[in-house]
């Protein structure tokens, strides 16, 4: 194709200028890749942090709400009150647990009793949120045993695990007894077996773990559980799986996304910011290409005029300029993808003093195919304006200049 | 034998808003095959305008035009492009060579652009032409490394690349010194003689006009009496039948 030969000659005619133009395109594409990989990496890190240490789906009894019963004339007739004579609990938890364990997408199940209690030590008293679970499955949902800083994670029959801030405020440490008083008004002396540090202040201050067998009499729940926590092999399935569970069990099923709505909102906002930056970097790339080609068309108006005079078609002239745009776009995008990938890989090796990644960047998620196609397509579109003006040049005026 | 060019009643009026400039009025012009004709006249007399009309670069506001037996008014823009490419050759005051191409590539360009590339046959033809214009030792030079006279000789070879019926030259020696101008003129005369290619050379230079077998004078937008049209003037030379082997 002769137009391609001409386009190549034009680009090689001023190698320094062409190199600069391609470098500009490559830089924009590098920025695009970096932002894409960073946003994706951030999202992955944030969701990983959440999904690694909390349940993906939580099952509880449906909440009962006092309802107004309407009569036939639409006037309130009566109020159906919530019965407080029944404990809110999952009685048939064993069959639910069996159902859950039979699902291939479920990786862990933890039936729990959750309640409120006070820890009393001398004159000091502190409220705690108690999670009672099977000591053999202690780490099913949250990796508590990896967070123990003093003592051990072995609960036993009378053991309790407390957070490090709670231990400090009550002056407790591993091996010491503490009086446990439930919201049912039942007291029992438990022994602090271990102290954990999650890094989350509210958890380290307010949460305590005990064995579910120990909890049954203390919370007066001889058979049922208050909630069942589930982990899935793929956290992204949580929403659909929660819907399925609700329909299958009649229980209220909450996905981790629902519980962390603010995280979702944050991620969306972050993704939108990323899109904005990506758009601007692409637009600046395209403006660069359009203006460089316009200048070139202007500078070459004499030769374009003579070509038109000896009968070279408008299409040929336009094609020469569109091909220049295409070549610049493809080469620039290719180099930009490579350098963006290199940058991301290098940034991913940088670590903070504690050994964790300095930037949560995901080099594989740079959006390479998308940015390559977008830049190439955009470069072609950006060259249409200079191509048209070159093709429409009046040969007479161009020659006489 | 058909005429190469037959222009009848050509008129050209430029309009710029309310302002109208009549540049050509009722111009008749006939060129037979093998003619070497000069189009003379004072600066501003309309020579370039007439040449552009004959070269299908400008549409006249009146008159009819037949080139190589074909009526060209009805041709679309794209057909006019193709017609210029196949039937006409152009030489301008400024060579306008493509600076990023060699002499050979510049000459072959008019043949290559519509067909998709420079074929070996095109290259050979371009080299032959360059040899004939005395640039046999400059064929692979980039156009930018040639002197002004050499560039204009490349432009002559380029104009002849597609075996045109008619070559239109607008002040071809206008930016050259005497020696280079003489060479360029000699070349055009030689090509005319050897190939029988018809030349219409527009010039305000007496030296150039004197070298041409026929002279057509423009004055006030009209062909001066006795010089143009189908009338035989004193400077007119009827081209004889083209000798065999010359075309
Ligand atoms: N596009 C145009 N618009 C208006 N006037 C024009 C245009 N082109 C040429 N002219 C006028 O036509 C006249 C003849 O111009 P031209 O053909 O270039 O003369 P020459 O080549 O004989 O010097 C000049 O007076 C010029 O100003
Ligand atoms: Mg002129």
């Amino acid at each position: 194709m002769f137009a391609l030969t001409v386009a190549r000659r034009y680009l090689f005619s001023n190698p320094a200028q062409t190199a600069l133009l391609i470098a500009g395109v490559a830089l924009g594409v590098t920025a695009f890749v970096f932002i894409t990989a960073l946003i994706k990496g951030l999202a992955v890190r944030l969701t990983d942090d959440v999904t690694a240490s909390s349940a993906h789906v939580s099952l509880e009894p449906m909440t009962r709400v006092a309802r107004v019963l309407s009569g036939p004339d639409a006037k309130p007739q009566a109020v159906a009150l919530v019965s407080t004579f029944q404990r809110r609990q999952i009685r048939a938890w064993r069959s639910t647990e069996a159902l859950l364990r039979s699902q291939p997408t479920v990786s862990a199940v933890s039936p729990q009793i959750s309640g409120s209690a006070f820890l009393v030590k001398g004159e000091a008293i502190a409220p705690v949120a108690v999670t009672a679970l099977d000591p053999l499955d202690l780490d099913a949902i949250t990796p508590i045993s990896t967070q123990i800083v003093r003592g051990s994670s072995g609960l036993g029959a009378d053991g309790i695990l407390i957070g490090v801030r709670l231990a400090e405020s009550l002056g407790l440490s591993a091996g010491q007894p503490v009086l446990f008083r439930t919201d049912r008004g039942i007291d029992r002396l438990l022994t602090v077996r271990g102290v954990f540090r999650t890094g989350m202040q509210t958890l380290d201050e307010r949460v305590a773990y005990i064995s579910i067998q120990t909890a049954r009499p203390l919370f007066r729940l001889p058979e049922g559980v208050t909630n069942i926590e589930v982990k899935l092999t793929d956290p992204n399935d949580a929403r659909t799986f929660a819907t399925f569970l609700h329909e299958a069990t009649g229980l209220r099923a909450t996905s981790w996304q629902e519980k962390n709505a603010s995280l979702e909102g944050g991620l969306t906002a972050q993704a939108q910011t990323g899109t904005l930056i990506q758009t601007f970097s692409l637009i600046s790339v395209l403006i660069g290409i359009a203006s460089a080609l316009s200048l070139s068309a202007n500078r070459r108006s004499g030769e374009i005029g003579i070509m038109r005079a000896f009968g070279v078609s408008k299409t040929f002239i336009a094609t020469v300029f569109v091909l220049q745009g295409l070549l610049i776009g493809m080469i620039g995008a290719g180099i930009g993808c490579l350098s963006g990938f290199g940058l991301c890989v290098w940034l991913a090796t940088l670590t903070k003093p504690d050994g964790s990644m300095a930037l949560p960047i995901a080099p594989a998620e740079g959006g390479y195919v998308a940015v390559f196609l977008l830049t190439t397509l955009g470069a072609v579109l950006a060259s249409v304006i200079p191509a048209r003006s070159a093709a429409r040049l009046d040969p007479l005026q161009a020659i006489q200049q | 034998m058909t005429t190469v060019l037959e222009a009848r009643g050509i008129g050209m009026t430029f309009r710029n808003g309310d302002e109208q400039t009549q540049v050509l009025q009722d111009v008749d012009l006939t060129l037979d095959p093998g003619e070497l004709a000069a189009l003379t006249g004072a600066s501003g007399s309309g020579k370039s305008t007439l040449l552009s009309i004959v070269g299908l670069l400008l549409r006249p506001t009146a008159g009819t035009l037949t080139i190589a037996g074909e009526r060209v008014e009805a041709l679309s823009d794209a057909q006019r492009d193709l017609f210029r490419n196949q039937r006409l050759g152009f030489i301008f005051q400024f060579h306008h060579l493509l600076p990023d191409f060699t002499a050979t590539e510049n000459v072959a360009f008019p043949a290559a652009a519509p067909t998709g590339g420079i074929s070996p046959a095109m290259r050979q033809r371009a080299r032959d032409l360059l040899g004939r214009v005395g640039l046999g030792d400059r064929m692979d030079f980039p156009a930018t490394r040639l002197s002004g006279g050499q560039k204009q000789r490349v432009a002559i070879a380029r104009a002849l690349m597609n075996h045109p019926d008619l070559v239109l030259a607008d002040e071809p020696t206008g930016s050259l010194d005497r020696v280079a101008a003489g060479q360029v003129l000699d070349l055009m005369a030689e090509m005319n003689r050897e190939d029988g290619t018809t030349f219409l050379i527009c010039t305000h230079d007496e030296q150039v006009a004197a070298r041409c077998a026929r002279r057509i004078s423009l004055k006030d937008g009209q062909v001066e009496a006795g010089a143009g049209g189908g009338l035989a003037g004193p400077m007119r030379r009827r081209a004889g039948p083209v000798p065999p082997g010359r075309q």
Side-chain angles (χ1 to χ4, degrees), chain A residues 400, chain B residues 42-49 93 170-171 202 204:
Chain A
Q400 281 160 6
Chain B
S43 179
S45 59
K47 303 183 295 294
S48 296
T49 304
Q93 177 173 356
D170 192 349
E171 311 277 2
C202 114
H204 66 272

Side-chain angles (χ1 to χ4, degrees), chain A residues 397 400, chain B residues 14-16 21-24 41-50 58 170-171 202 218:
Chain A
Q397 279 177 8
Q400 281 160 6
Chain B
F14 289 105
R15 281 193 181 79
N16 282 319
T21 323
Q22 183 164 44
V23 178
L24 296 175
S43 179
S45 59
K47 303 183 295 294
S48 296
T49 304
L50 182 56
L58 195 62
D170 192 349
E171 311 277 2
C202 114
L218 273 185

Side-chain angles (χ1 to χ4, degrees), chain B residues 48-118:
Chain B
S48 296
T49 304
L50 182 56
L51 212 71
S52 302
I53 289 170
V54 172
L56 306 194
L57 293 170
L58 195 62
R59 287 184 189 267
T61 46
T64 62
L65 204 57
T66 309
I67 301 174
E70 193 163 342
R71 283 288 292 267
V72 296
E73 290 90 40
L75 297 183
S76 69
D77 283 351
Q79 286 170 325
R80 283 159 74 92
D81 289 348
L82 196 64
F83 193 93
R84 285 200 305 276
N85 185 259
Q86 304 290 306
R87 302 296 189 78
L88 301 174
F90 291 89
I91 303 165
F92 294 98
Q93 177 173 356
F94 301 102
H95 56 85
H96 289 300
L97 294 189
L98 311 180
D100 303 299
F101 292 82
T102 64
T104 306
E105 289 166 340
N106 263 284
V107 174
F109 207 102
T115 56
I118 302 178

Side-chain angles (χ1 to χ4, degrees), chain B residues 1-5 31-37 68 87 125 129 132 159-160 163-167 187-200 237-247:
Chain B
M1 181 179 285
T2 56
T3 55
V4 168
L5 168 69
L31 290 178
D32 288 328
E35 277 200 283
L36 176 66
R87 302 296 189 78
R125 160 108 182 130
L129 284 167
R132 287 176 66 190
L160 296 168
H163 304 277
D165 295 283
L166 173 62
V167 173
L187 268 175
M188 289 195 289
E190 192 182 315
M191 298 292 178
N192 165 260
R193 207 169 50 240
E194 291 178 2
D195 296 355
T197 308
T198 312
F199 277 80
L200 181 60
R237 179 187 70 114
R238 274 257 172 219
V242 179
R246 281 276 163 86
Q247 218 157 12

Side-chain angles (χ1 to χ4, degrees), chain A residues 55-59 232 235-243 252-261 264:
Chain A
H56 300 163
V57 179
S58 303
L59 289 173
L232 305 176
N236 295 315
D237 294 340
R239 278 216 169 93
T240 42
F241 195 67
T243 312
R252 181 158 61 165
T254 314
S255 67
W256 66 271
Q257 290 102 324
E258 225 179 303
K259 275 194 203 163
N260 297 279
E264 279 243 301

